[in-house]
């Protein structure tokens, strides 16, 4: 579990108008404290900014906000001039892609802005970011330096939170919070919405219970309640996710049907149906933003499988929603997954498959296109082995 305080690594220092100044340093992806920080403004050329950022110098922007965004784009284009090399090995390509993405984040993360005591951004033509920052970072704790790239993500997340994401299976919208995995890939939601419910939930519909483990926005818990499950317990290890799920449950007027619990994976008791959509790729996340995608050593997957038999009611099922992208990338084999299921004393009674519909699966320019094109997302129906 990530603690937000871990990302306030230290204090950043710089000299401006012959005066020594400082502020808290904050990075959601755990970027280290810059060793050197200089003041930059509209006079800075993109080539010079790119060179200094590559050398490790942070640029604290004091010019026009829109010029800063244009500078960030120009720096990105300079990174793209030297495309990463790729091999014939899917796993090596994955690691090369992550290394390239890390380099890009490291260089672009050197363009910084300063947020005042109340999260005001005092740059020419700067938007009002106070509410967006309050939602992402919590109560103000004094001036704070963040990368413009991170702040752009905070602003975008605020817009998503306001507008929400349409979920056809619910006939309404879900509102994600910053740092919480958003249901933009509808295929896994549709699997839960359309797979036949276990007989145990149909035979005792008035007392049917389900657990949604790693609930995130609460979307799957809402789908289960929408399908008639009378009591759903939604859990997560992330405080951000718990707050997000509670807000969505309230918006959907499902507080009498859905209980949000945590931090943790399994709640107490047993259920007729236990659903888990763990991170699909066994790799180390660099921060809370990546926690919904990467899970080192597939820890959540194995924890779900290991705890499932003890938390199912007689006749109940566990639903594991998992993409096989890790298999196509050479990060996990199908046999390793089957062995993990067997080791947990579970057996597969059915597997429902669907193909991805997101744009990246059709983007031939994506360095992982071959794996994404072959990807299948599956709902594995599991019961305790006899």
């Amino acid at each position: 579990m990530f603690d937000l305080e871990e990302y306030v690594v230290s204090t950043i220092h710089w000299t401006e108008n012959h005066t020594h100044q400082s502020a808290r340093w904050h990075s959601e992806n755990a970027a280290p404290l810059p060793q050197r920080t200089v003041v930059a403004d509209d006079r800075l050329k993109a080539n010079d900014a790119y060179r200094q950022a590559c050398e490790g110098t942070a640029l604290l922007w004091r010019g026009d906000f829109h010029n800063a965004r244009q500078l960030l784009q120009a720096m990105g284009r300079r990174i793209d001039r030297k495309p990463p090399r790729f091999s014939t090995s899917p796993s090596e390509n994955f690691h090369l892609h992550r290394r390239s993405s890390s380099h890009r984040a490291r260089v672009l993360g050197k363009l910084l802005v300063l947020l005042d005591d109340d999260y005001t951004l005092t740059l020419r033509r700067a938007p009002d970011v106070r509410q967006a920052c309050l939602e992402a970072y919590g109560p103000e704790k004094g001036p704070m330096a963040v990368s413009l790239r991170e702040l752009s993500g905070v602003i975008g997340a605020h817009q998503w939170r306001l507008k929400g994401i349409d979920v056809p299976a619910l006939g309404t919208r879900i509102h994600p919070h910053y740092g919480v995995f958003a249901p933009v890939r509808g295929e896994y939601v549709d699997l839960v919405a359309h797979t036949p419910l276990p007989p145990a939930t149909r035979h005792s519909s008035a007392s049917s219970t389900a657990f949604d483990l790693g609930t995130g926005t609460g979307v799957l818990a809402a789908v289960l309640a929408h399908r008639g499950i009378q009591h759903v317990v939604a859990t997560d290890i992330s405080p951000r996710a718990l707050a997000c799920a509670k807000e969505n449950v309230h918006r959907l007027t499902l507080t009498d049907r859905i209980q949000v619990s945590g931090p943790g994976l399994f709640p107490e008791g047993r259920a007729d149906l236990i659903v888990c959509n763990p991170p699909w790729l066994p790799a180390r996340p660099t921060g809370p933003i990546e926690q919904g995608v990467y899970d080192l050593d597939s820890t959540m997957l194995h924890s779900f499988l290991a705890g499932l038999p003890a938390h199912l009611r007689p006749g109940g099922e566990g639903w594991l929603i998992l993409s096989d992208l890790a298999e196509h990338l050479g990060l996990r084999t199908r046999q390793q997954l089957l062995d993990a299921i067997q080791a947990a004393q579970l057996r597969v009674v059915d597997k429902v498959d669907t193909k991805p519909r997101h744009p990246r699966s059709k983007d031939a320019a994506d360095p992982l296109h071959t794996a994404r094109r072959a990807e299948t997302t599956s709902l594995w129906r599991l019961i305790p082995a006899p």
Side-chain angles (χ1 to χ4, degrees):
M1 177 178 172
F2 287 94
D3 184 345
L4 298 185
E5 291 300 321
E6 292 178 8
Y7 299 95
V8 184
V9 178
S10 189
T11 303
I12 191 169
H13 301 271
W14 71 96
T15 299
E16 189 171 6
N17 298 325
H18 307 289
T19 303
H20 177 78
Q21 299 193 37
S22 63
R24 290 187 303 122
W25 166 244
H26 184 94
S27 171
E28 288 287 323
N29 65 359
L33 175 73
Q35 295 302 304
R36 179 172 181 262
T37 302
V38 298
V39 173
D41 57 28
D42 304 303
R43 296 169 293 179
L44 182 65
K45 303 298 183 183
N47 283 337
D48 292 334
Y50 175 65
R51 175 183 54 79
Q52 292 186 69
C54 288
E55 293 171 350
T57 297
L59 309 167
L60 181 62
W61 189 256
R62 293 306 211 183
D64 179 86
F65 176 77
H66 291 283
N67 288 347
R69 294 184 63 181
Q70 291 177 359
L71 177 61
L72 195 66
Q73 293 171 359
M75 292 168 66
R77 289 193 295 270
R78 281 154 178 77
I79 296 174
D80 295 338
R81 288 174 183 172
K82 190 176 181 180
R85 64 181 181 88
F86 290 101
S87 73
T88 58
S89 166
S91 61
E92 185 176 352
N93 279 342
F94 170 75
H95 293 297
L96 288 171
H97 173 64
R98 289 209 81 197
R99 189 180 306 165
S100 173
S101 299
S102 177
H103 170 71
R104 184 183 188 87
R106 184 166 56 251
V107 173
L108 298 184
K110 291 297 189 291
L111 185 59
L112 313 181
V113 294
L114 184 66
L115 300 170
D116 289 345
D117 288 349
D118 61 349
Y119 291 134
T120 297
L121 182 61
T122 54
L123 299 176
R124 292 191 306 277
R125 295 199 293 170
D128 185 348
V129 301
R130 290 175 295 176
Q131 183 60 33
C133 291
L134 184 64
E135 291 169 355
Y137 300 135
E140 309 93 330
K141 297 179 182 178
M144 184 172 80
V146 299
S147 76
L148 176 59
R149 189 170 186 260
E150 178 175 308
L151 181 62
S152 297
V154 168
I155 295 170
H158 174 63
Q159 294 303 315
W160 266 21
R161 182 168 177 169
L162 286 177
K163 297 177 181 178
I165 296 172
D166 184 50
V167 181
L170 290 174
T172 187
R173 305 179 80 83
I174 285 288
H175 297 258
H177 290 193
Y178 179 75
V180 179
F181 187 75
V184 291
R185 291 188 54 166
E187 60 265 26
Y188 79 93
V189 179
D190 290 342
L191 282 172
V192 174
H194 299 297
T195 298
L197 291 171
T201 64
R202 299 195 297 269
H203 296 160
S204 57
S205 57
S207 60
S208 57
T209 298
F211 296 163
D212 173 26
L213 310 185
T215 193
T217 60
V219 63
L220 295 185
V223 168
L224 293 172
H226 188 72
R227 295 195 64 185
I229 303 293
Q230 292 302 303
H231 181 59
V232 182
V233 182
T235 70
D236 209 291
I237 64 170
S238 165
R240 279 175 168 161
L242 294 171
C244 180
K246 287 178 181 178
E247 182 179 293
N248 279 308
V249 168
H250 180 74
R251 281 177 181 269
L252 298 171
T253 63
L254 289 172
T255 52
D256 60 330
R257 304 267 302 281
I258 300 176
Q259 173 191 351
V260 180
S261 175
L265 184 60
F266 279 96
E268 294 183 359
R270 294 173 179 262
D272 302 299
L273 175 61
I274 302 179
V275 176
C276 185
N277 176 35
W280 292 345
L281 296 179
R284 183 186 298 277
T286 60
I289 303 300
E290 291 190 344
Q291 240 184 323
V293 179
Y294 302 111
D295 181 22
L296 186 63
D297 299 326
S298 300
T299 301
M300 183 176 176
L301 168 62
H302 292 295
S303 297
F304 164 68
L305 294 175
L308 188 57
H311 287 86
L312 282 175
R313 287 177 176 173
E317 292 182 10
W319 285 3
L320 170 64
I321 301 100
L322 196 65
S323 159
D324 65 356
L325 183 61
E327 298 174 23
H328 295 293
L329 292 173
L331 305 177
R332 179 174 57 227
T333 67
R334 175 58 57 90
Q335 191 58 50
Q336 286 174 323
L337 174 60
L338 295 175
D339 288 345
I341 292 173
Q342 184 178 26
Q345 298 185 331
L346 298 165
R347 71 179 181 92
V348 180
V349 294
D350 193 14
K351 182 168 73 72
V352 185
D353 298 333
T354 188
K355 299 299 290 185
R357 303 187 297 269
H358 59 90
R360 294 180 74 180
S361 65
K362 300 177 178 63
D363 182 8
D366 189 312
L368 305 179
H369 173 66
T370 301
R372 294 192 194 280
R373 183 180 57 190
E375 179 186 8
T376 297
T377 302
S378 302
L379 186 152
W380 297 76
R381 293 176 54 203
L382 307 173
I383 64 171

